[in-house]
Amino acid sequence: MPDLSRVDVTDAAAALLRDLTAKHGPLMFHQSGGCCDGSSPMCYPVGMFLTGPSDVHLGSIDVGLDDPIEVYMSESQFEYWKFTHLTIDVVPGRGAGFSVEGPTGMRFLVRSRMLTEEEAVAFGVAV
């Protein structure tokens, strides 16, 4: 079976993440569940946002650095998204207030698709 992942990254987002890592050090994502910043993927320097037992590790994205960037989501939010694959992308616009891309004139967003049957079985969410 091929290596399956719940998360991926576009080339454009990977390039921005390499630049941001050079400036801020190692980074991580937490997929926001709403409120102030909508449902944007929030990017933080590692250690600035603490995950806990109510967070789900969705996977890691390889952006061409020594270490991958980890991606998390709250358990309650995951219940709504467990049948989807997320791709982190970047577009021009104002970034989320607490996310490190905020001052760059770019903002991260997620593009989603339904899991394939093979992915759903592998992740234990097949119906």
Side-chain angles (χ1 to χ4, degrees):
M1 180 179 289
D3 231 3
L4 299 177
S5 175
R6 287 186 172 276
V7 292
D8 202 358
V9 63
T10 64
D11 291 342
L16 179 57
L17 286 163
R18 288 190 296 273
D19 291 345
L20 291 170
T21 298
K23 185 173 186 175
H24 299 284
L27 301 171
M28 58 87 68
F29 275 101
H30 191 275
Q31 174 60 46
S32 175
C35 185
C36 305
D37 289 309
S39 58
S40 299
M42 304 292 285
C43 185
Y44 302 101
V46 169
M48 183 169 265
F49 182 94
L50 301 178
T51 59
S54 65
D55 291 300
V56 175
H57 180 247
L58 297 178
S60 304
I61 53 175
D62 181 1
V63 300
L65 298 169
D66 290 339
D67 296 313
I69 295 177
E70 306 300 327
V71 181
Y72 297 86
M73 177 184 283
S74 72
E75 188 174 49
S76 59
Q77 183 76 0
F78 180 72
E79 279 303 306
Y80 294 106
W81 290 75
K82 66 183 171 186
F83 298 105
T84 60
H85 176 277
L86 304 179
T87 299
I88 296 174
D89 199 359
V90 64
V91 295
R94 184 177 180 279
F98 300 108
S99 192
V100 294
E101 86 281 5
T104 69
M106 302 296 283
R107 67 182 183 91
F108 290 113
L109 58 84
V110 292
R111 300 189 187 279
S112 63
R113 65 165 173 81
M114 297 301 292
L115 294 175
T116 65
E117 187 176 330
E118 178 186 27
E119 290 169 330
V121 169
F123 298 134
V125 295
V127 288

